[in-house]
Amino acid sequence: MTLIGRRGALAAVEQLLDRAAAGTGGHLIVTGPPGAGKTALTHAAAELAHARGIPVVHAAGRGDDSGLLIWDRLLGDLGAGGPPLGDGSRDLERVVRAVARGGPRLLLLDDVDRAGTAAVEFLALLASRLGAGATVLLAMAEDPLGLTPEIRLGGLTEPELAMLTADLPTEAVHAVWLASGGLPGAAIALAGELAGLDASADAVIHLALTTPSRAEFLDLDVGLIRLLEAAAGRPLPSPTRARVLARLARELLGDPSAGVRRRELIDEAVTLARTAGDPGTIAEVLDCRLHALWDPAAADERLTTASEIVEQARRAGDAVAERRGLFWRFIALTELGELGDAEAALTAYARTGELAGDAETAVVVLARQAMLATVRGRFDVAASLAAEVAVRGRRAGITDTDRLAGSLRGSLAAMRGEYASLVDPWQDLARRLPGHFFEATAARALAESGRDVEAGLELERLLPAVLAGSGPRWLGVVADLAIVASRVGEPADAQALYDALLPYQGRLVVWGGANTITGPVDDYLGRLVARLGQLDQAVCHLDGAAALEQRIGALPWLAYTLAARARALSARDGAGDRSRADDDLSRARSIMERLGMAGVLAAFAPPADEWRLRRDGDDWRLDAGGETARLRDMRGLWYLRALLAAPGQEIAALDLVAGGAGLRVPDGDPVLDEVARTSYRRRLAVLDEQFDAADRTGDAERAAAVQEERTALLAELRRASGLGGRPRAQAGEAERARVNATRALWATVKRVESAAPLAGAHLRASLHTGRLFRYQPAPGGPSRWNV
């Protein structure tokens, strides 16, 4: 058996079959993209096994599989059916026993990764046990499974591909190799397509204009770009040249350094198309222009251009171009915050796709419906639609299906506040697609997860390049950095991001083709100016965001914005602000609890290390961690606020009572005169003798009474003594202040203890009274109070 360019893979399969013949068992994993030749290798393996007299059992995963259906089918083929498999050790033993039965055998599993995560995990467990029998396993998958040994099938070299397409001219073989990436399945299909063309057709031009890109969004299909470059270098009629240049400009979108060239190419293409006057060419070129010059500021222009694409496409009878125009209309309306009209455009796009029987259109519509369901808080619906996108996208052969479905799941996780799970995937994308600022989205995930130091470092690294950038992800990236800056950024960073976002106020943050939407621009603007201390402006922006969210029914966003506005209002603390803040927090909490987002609210409450004591109308409001108390106005609360505002500082009782006026305490008479002091000392001497006598006779009760009186006398002497034992002077006014302030302060603490026990306990442990008062925060309390 000979497969072109697959000698190493065939040798590995033969070694696997040798193990089966020797009775030792084993496995081999083969991965590669669609068209890499996995199916052909499977057939070759089956033929080799049959030639050696080794039975073959074959099963395949399907896009609609869930759980372990592939293994259930395999057990049925092995004659070991039974209850459906679960994921426990007993079920593994069922498979192992079925596999171990009989002599050598080859198990072939196609598309095992399409059967779901559980099936892949089960494969790993089974592979670890195959050495006990004579069965060998050959499994095929698109993506690496992390199991060894594993072989990755890639494209063939051009000479190898020439052997596969020997009937084509050399130039056509080169074009096929570029268009297919050397993948044999795709190359054979393209060769067959060329064979059916008129003899006068140019293979290079045909493939350059018709071959779908094999790259994911914002990635580069280098082979296709090289093919388009070759086509652009040929003498061409104006309409054809316009189409070639326009497609080349579109395919270069993934190259951040090609901005100037993209504009030059598309400008020439538009001029040629309009000069030629062919409506179909105009529609196609305008569609490419919107891709190539994806300027976030051009939403209104996008809407106008989309209408022209639809009009020109209908004149040309080009249903594909018409669908593209309708989709651009959906994107532009979404950017402008007109979700009702956007959904109408999406419905029209879906209907035209249904008429054409276009499976890709159906997947695109499902993905956007999933995003809109997430925006409106229909999380179960969104999760179900995302799962359907994954299945139907693979079935339709959409290149970036996994990333499409992954972004939907990521949006859902972010809306629920599950940012910690998103850091690694975004950082992986940043490594794989440099220049498109996926690091900024990872930085937001870091900040939202509480990893502020790491997020701040990313902000410093990325901000200059992001501010100078553009493209379909730009507005979303700036918004992500705005979240970081609003938490940990320097004022200059927050101001720069505010200035960058301000032209987009009133709009939604839309990423690319509206597969991801991350809220109103005004919400981000409000957070940035709140960081800058411009609270009136912050409340104004957040008011605008809340109004937009209410109009479009975006309940999760509304909850986030209400919580952010509550914080801004509380910090501003103007007339009525506290009441508005309470209402906002209450409504945000209600929305989040109903949507299953209750844990998110903690991120917008005052930080755990910031407690508050503020006037609220005629009363006072205390917020301490999870405790809240409303307290009737009393003198002790004024004293408490003064102490909390100056942690660690000693304040004289008279100053505290006077509101910090710093009145000088007048000199006064000694607290105890010399006669009284002498009398106390004589009494202490008598008590010492009485204590010794009680101790000698073992009279514990008498000793305790003497000691109690002795302790009281010593305390009074200490109170009346200053430094070095000198008599302490007493100022009558200061003493009265001490007594009154102490009484009022502890009465207030007692009131707090009854309404907020944890806060009261902290205050009792942290307040020190006497002639000098001090708030010294006890361990476990806040690092500061907002008073």
Side-chain angles (χ1 to χ4, degrees):
M1 171 59 60
T2 301
L3 290 178
I4 294 174
R6 300 298 183 224
R7 183 178 302 171
L10 279 172
V13 169
E14 293 197 67
Q15 290 176 6
L16 186 69
L17 294 173
D18 288 341
R19 292 177 63 89
T24 57
H27 71 280
L28 175 65
I29 311 297
V30 179
T31 65
K38 299 189 298 296
T39 300
L41 186 61
T42 298
H43 293 324
E47 290 183 19
L48 289 170
H50 287 312
R52 296 175 179 224
I54 297 176
V56 177
V57 179
H58 196 169
R62 298 196 296 259
D64 56 354
D65 276 348
S66 61
L68 301 169
L69 291 180
I70 185 174
W71 295 105
D72 284 323
R73 289 196 291 273
L74 184 62
L75 283 174
D77 292 340
L78 291 170
L85 287 173
D87 58 0
S89 59
R90 290 185 180 179
D91 288 323
L92 176 60
E93 291 304 325
R94 275 179 57 199
V95 177
V96 171
R97 285 196 303 271
V99 167
R101 236 181 254 127
R105 182 164 37 199
L106 171 63
L107 305 185
L108 287 176
L109 293 180
D110 283 338
D111 300 319
V112 67
D113 50 344
R114 299 182 72 180
T117 303
V120 174
E121 292 174 350
F122 210 84
L123 170 63
L125 289 170
L126 178 60
S128 68
R129 305 284 293 274
L130 286 174
T135 298
V136 292
L137 170 67
L138 178 61
M140 305 288 177
E142 285 189 20
D143 298 314
L145 303 181
L147 300 175
T148 55
E150 182 173 297
I151 294 175
R152 180 77 177 169
L153 299 182
L156 303 178
T157 65
E158 188 170 351
E160 289 171 340
L161 194 69
M163 296 171 61
L164 194 64
T165 55
D167 295 337
L168 292 179
T170 301
E171 186 179 57
V173 170
H174 182 65
V176 167
W177 181 67
L178 291 174
S180 66
L183 297 175
I188 291 171
L190 291 175
E193 187 178 316
L194 292 179
L197 294 179
D198 185 89
S200 62
D202 187 322
V204 173
I205 301 301
H206 174 79
L207 292 180
L209 291 175
T210 62
T211 302
S213 172
R214 292 176 292 108
E216 296 182 356
F217 183 58
L218 293 182
D219 206 348
L220 293 173
D221 186 338
V222 177
L224 179 57
I225 289 172
R226 288 171 61 186
L227 183 59
L228 285 162
E229 296 275 14
R234 293 171 177 253
L236 299 170
S238 291
T240 304
R241 180 170 178 77
R243 294 173 64 204
V244 169
L245 295 181
R247 186 167 193 201
L248 177 56
R250 172 178 175 162
E251 293 301 325
L252 286 171
L253 178 62
D255 182 358
S257 66
V260 173
R261 183 154 188 248
R262 287 200 304 271
R263 180 169 289 281
E264 291 173 350
L265 289 168
I266 201 65
D267 285 349
E268 182 182 350
V270 170
T271 300
L272 290 170
R274 291 200 184 281
T275 300
D278 175 60
T281 301
I282 293 173
E284 183 177 339
V285 169
L286 289 178
D287 171 54
C288 289
R289 183 179 186 276
L290 291 181
H291 278 93
L293 305 180
W294 208 320
D295 179 6
D300 290 305
E301 180 187 344
R302 251 189 297 285
L303 192 57
T304 302
T305 303
S307 297
E308 185 179 359
I309 292 172
V310 171
E311 178 187 348
Q312 297 284 2
R314 286 174 177 168
R315 287 176 57 194
D318 188 340
V320 174
E322 180 185 355
R323 286 201 297 278
R324 290 174 178 165
L326 290 170
F327 190 66
W328 279 115
R329 180 173 174 78
F330 161 73
I331 294 172
L333 288 168
T334 302
E335 291 175 293
L336 296 170
E338 302 297 336
L339 281 196
D341 291 341
E343 286 180 292
L346 185 65
T347 300
Y349 171 74
R351 295 289 181 266
T352 59
E354 289 172 4
L355 287 174
D358 184 7
E360 183 172 345
T361 296
V363 174
V364 170
V365 171
L366 279 175
R368 276 56 185 186
Q369 289 173 338
M371 186 67 248
L372 292 172
T374 300
V375 165
R376 293 190 169 119
R378 299 185 179 119
F379 296 149
D380 291 342
V381 173
S384 176
L385 289 172
E388 192 173 351
V389 166
V391 172
R392 294 178 64 175
R394 292 192 193 101
R395 193 181 296 158
I398 299 176
T399 305
D400 58 353
T401 292
D402 289 340
R403 210 166 94 192
L404 180 65
S407 68
L408 293 172
R409 290 191 293 268
S411 295
L412 188 55
M415 197 72 86
R416 287 170 161 163
E418 299 164 359
Y419 278 97
S421 65
L422 302 177
V423 174
D424 289 343
W426 285 119
Q427 289 180 335
D428 288 344
L429 268 176
R431 285 188 288 270
R432 199 156 62 83
L433 294 173
H436 295 289
F437 304 119
F438 287 97
E439 301 96 328
T441 307
R444 175 177 184 169
L446 287 168
E448 300 274 21
S449 303
R451 296 163 64 177
D452 289 349
V453 174
E454 296 167 85
L457 287 171
E458 289 301 310
L459 174 63
E460 289 186 50
R461 293 185 186 111
L462 294 169
L463 186 58
V466 167
L467 291 176
S470 186
R473 300 186 72 251
W474 182 82
L475 189 62
V477 165
V478 175
D480 281 344
L481 286 188
I483 291 295
V484 181
S486 70
R487 293 172 60 104
V488 301
E490 295 295 327
D493 297 340
Q495 186 65 58
L497 287 163
Y498 179 84
D499 293 342
L501 284 173
L502 189 59
Y504 305 94
Q505 65 179 326
R507 285 178 40 177
L508 292 177
V509 177
V510 174
W511 301 67
N515 187 55
T516 301
I517 316 171
T518 52
V521 172
D522 275 294
D523 181 271
Y524 296 92
L525 291 170
R527 294 169 194 271
L528 288 168
V529 288
R531 177 73 175 181
L532 295 170
Q534 301 169 20
L535 298 175
D536 289 343
Q537 203 170 349
V539 172
C540 182
H541 280 303
L542 293 168
D543 285 345
L548 174 57
E549 290 155 353
Q550 289 184 106
R551 178 168 61 82
I552 64 178
L555 292 182
W557 290 341
L558 178 60
Y560 277 94
T561 297
L562 289 173
R565 187 170 69 182
R567 188 165 191 167
L569 287 166
S570 182
R572 188 173 69 175
D573 201 24
D577 281 350
R578 172 54 63 178
S579 178
R580 284 186 66 193
D582 287 347
D583 291 343
D584 280 352
L585 274 178
S586 176
R587 190 176 177 197
R589 183 178 289 109
S590 174
I591 292 172
M592 289 181 175
E593 287 175 350
R594 285 182 286 139
L595 295 180
M597 302 167 59
V600 176
L601 188 56
F604 295 97
D609 63 348
E610 180 185 317
W611 292 10
R612 297 181 178 188
L613 179 66
R614 311 291 290 276
R615 287 305 303 271
D616 190 6
D618 294 331
D619 296 327
W620 293 73
R621 180 186 174 96
L622 181 142
D623 294 289
E627 295 182 328
T628 299
R630 187 176 293 276
L631 304 166
R632 180 174 54 81
D633 188 30
M634 53 195 304
R635 282 184 305 165
L637 284 165
W638 293 94
Y639 304 157
L640 179 60
R641 182 167 74 170
L643 292 167
L644 296 178
Q649 297 182 29
E650 291 186 330
I651 301 177
L654 192 60
D655 281 354
L656 193 64
V657 171
L663 299 179
R664 183 177 182 277
V665 180
D667 294 335
D669 298 328
V671 176
L672 291 176
D673 59 23
E674 187 59 35
V675 174
R677 291 165 64 83
T678 301
S679 176
Y680 278 170
R681 290 193 182 101
R682 287 174 181 166
R683 179 59 181 165
L684 281 171
V686 172
L687 290 174
D688 286 342
E689 292 175 359
Q690 292 177 353
F691 184 83
D692 289 342
D695 187 46
R696 285 193 302 270
T697 60
D699 189 347
E701 186 176 345
R702 175 62 179 158
V706 171
Q707 182 62 32
E708 183 178 353
E709 183 180 354
R710 184 176 183 276
T711 300
L713 285 174
L714 286 171
E716 188 64 16
L717 278 171
R718 280 193 294 270
R719 187 185 70 80
S721 300
L723 292 173
R726 292 187 295 272
R728 175 178 288 155
Q730 170 178 291
E733 188 177 356
E735 179 62 10
R736 284 191 298 274
R738 180 191 68 79
V739 172
N740 292 335
T742 299
R743 183 183 298 118
L745 185 63
W746 291 120
T748 296
V749 171
K750 188 174 182 180
R751 183 74 59 83
V752 172
E753 286 175 325
S754 64
L758 294 178
H762 168 74
L763 291 174
R764 187 166 291 279
S766 305
L767 291 169
H768 301 269
T769 59
R771 187 165 175 263
L772 297 175
F773 285 64
R774 184 176 82 257
Y775 167 67
Q776 189 67 48
S783 63
R784 64 190 175 98
W785 282 78
N786 190 328
V787 294

